[in-house]
Amino acid sequence: MKEYKVRFKVAWHETDAARVVHFSNYFKYFERAELELYDYLGFNYATTLKNSTMWFPRVEAHCKYLSPCEFNDEIEVIMNLAEMKEKSIKYNMRVFNLTTQKISAEGYITIVAVDRNIGKAVALPKDFAQAILKYFNQ
Amino acid sequence: MKEYKVRFKVAWHETDAARVVHFSNYFKYFERAELELYDYLGFNYATTLKNSTMWFPRVEAHCKYLSPCEFNDEIEVIMNLAEMKEKSIKYNMRVFNLTTQKISAEGYITIVAVDRNIGKAVALPKDFAQAILKYFNQ
Amino acid sequence: MKEYKVRFKVAWHETDAARVVHFSNYFKYFERAELELYDYLGFNYATTLKNSTMWFPRVEAHCKYLSPCEFNDEIEVIMNLAEMKEKSIKYNMRVFNLTTQKISAEGYITIVAVDRNIGKAVALPKDFAQAILKYFNQ
Amino acid sequence: MKEYKVRFKVAWHETDAARVVHFSNYFKYFERAELELYDYLGFNYATTLKNSTMWFPRVEAHCKYLSPCEFNDEIEVIMNLAEMKEKSIKYNMRVFNLTTQKISAEGYITIVAVDRNIGKAVALPKDFAQAILKYFNQ
């Protein structure tokens, strides 16, 4: 199965007084990988939010912290499709620290398609679901 | 002239790898004082945003950093009305570090009333402007 | 078993363009409850970091999102001791939205005592572990 | 005079409930440009902090907000050397929104070289100052 990867450097403001990336920021890294994938596949989340009542809130997030990242470390977020259901998707995430050559964190996020008007989970848009499946099944 | 004051402790995630509050967070502290004042005066910004097309974007922000704040320091944000015009308000802000007994930062923010539908500055809502004037002129 | 609770209002900058609290901020809420408990028990994390080589990195974090929080909602973080081992502590966390009267999120964080000099997990400081046990076993 | 430019897209978590980038994040954008320049010139701020007692706190920050940025907008931060003194540097910053083709913000930050041991401003490291001058005077 294909993975989706994004690379970037740790920003100064992402560190805390322990001189490592604050643990909450790994969830921002996870989301960055996810939203960049949608962008790459041609599904702009910004446009979806503006032109429809659909949004994709996270319903679950998890992370194990294995090795810290420091300011300016180059990191890679590696994203896999863990499970796709009718209304939700679970992505596995791994943060690899290219500077230290260690796995920094492992986790997952689960998102669900929700219609804001009715406030309930609905089926994932078909073309969206298919594009994601197609990408990871390459 | 009366001042508006809010007190709280520096959160861990507000620090950076220099072990002091990241400079961008002082602007969050300024905003916290401002929005808590509106709340205190009975003008909930959340409700305004939902029930009208009015919002109050910041058009200018400034800060001088005099002495750092560390995790868990108790700080006080002291807010003054610098100037009220027809469509905008400028607030002076001071962050006093109660733990070190030093002035940590001084600055200001200027907000403007904007109608989101037309994307232009409009007159401040009258009751809102009067409540603010009344508070600071006590 | 006793719980530890902290109450505060959702800050404007904690929201995102979906007009709800960004999912990563719940982990900051969890941490706030944890560090305020240490403060309450007389263990200042700031002092510990300065005067010793001990720190308490998070090794695991988890959250289920049940109902969103919006700007200015009053929330309560309710913290329980899930498990204390020789070198680590797991806290269960619940975010209750007092404004909507709904449980907003449930999760946990696991912290471990680490000696920064040797980079390895060590036994929790005895007085620290005992103070925590004493609090929750009231 | 040469400018230093960095390009990136607005992250989801940088937006707030008004669906635009939170005003405090522009200061993070300014800092990103600054620190990436140092990196480009071979002066890693991370290494400086570890191997010496020198750091570069911000002593002043200013921003005028001209036009909002939304999630996923492509932006460019354009950095100029405004003034270099013996102990401090002032950089002018401009955020150009490539998606809307509008200037989003204009401001500056002033940094000062400080010796952490004595807590006082000191002369900028010579090679650091010269490398910056050389870059902007191209």
Side-chain angles (χ1 to χ4, degrees), chain A residues 24-81:
Chain A
S24 69
N25 286 325
Y26 286 83
F27 294 100
K28 295 182 180 171
Y29 294 168
F30 291 178
E31 185 175 68
R32 177 170 175 166
E34 181 204 350
L35 296 179
E36 286 194 19
L37 170 65
Y38 300 161
D39 214 29
Y40 172 79
L41 297 176
F43 292 90
N44 188 314
Y45 191 41
T47 313
T48 304
L49 279 170
K50 271 183 205 162
N51 300 345
S52 78
T53 60
M54 175 84 68
W55 69 310
F56 302 122
R58 277 89 257 268
V59 289
E60 195 169 350
H62 181 262
C63 191
K64 282 195 181 183
Y65 303 92
L66 305 171
S67 173
C69 293
E70 300 189 356
F71 167 61
N72 230 22
D73 282 356
E74 195 179 10
I75 59 176
E76 185 168 66
V77 184
I78 302 150
M79 179 179 168
N80 286 279
L81 180 63

Side-chain angles (χ1 to χ4, degrees), chain D residues 41-100:
Chain D
L41 296 175
F43 293 91
N44 187 315
Y45 192 40
T47 312
T48 304
L49 278 170
K50 271 185 205 161
N51 300 345
S52 78
T53 60
M54 174 84 68
W55 69 309
F56 303 122
R58 278 89 257 267
V59 289
E60 195 169 351
H62 181 261
C63 191
K64 282 196 181 183
Y65 304 92
L66 306 171
S67 173
C69 292
E70 300 189 356
F71 168 62
N72 229 23
D73 282 357
E74 196 178 10
I75 59 176
E76 184 167 67
V77 184
I78 302 150
M79 177 179 169
N80 286 278
L81 180 63
E83 188 179 24
M84 185 184 285
K85 295 189 182 172
E86 192 206 348
K87 301 174 181 176
S88 67
I89 311 174
K90 182 181 175 182
Y91 297 109
N92 284 336
M93 300 285 184
R94 219 159 66 242
V95 177
F96 186 72
N97 187 326
L98 293 153
T99 303
T100 63

Side-chain angles (χ1 to χ4, degrees), chain A residues 8-25:
Chain A
F8 50 90
K9 283 189 170 187
V10 169
W12 176 258
H13 63 79
E14 290 167 353
T15 60
D16 62 29
R19 299 199 169 157
V20 297
V21 171
H22 189 263
F23 82 111
S24 69
N25 286 325

Side-chain angles (χ1 to χ4, degrees), chain B residues 9 39 44 50 70 72, chain C residues 9 39 44 50 70 72:
Chain B
K9 285 189 168 185
D39 213 29
N44 188 315
K50 270 184 207 164
E70 301 189 355
N72 229 24
Chain C
K9 284 189 169 186
D39 214 28
N44 188 313
K50 271 184 206 162
E70 300 189 355
N72 230 25

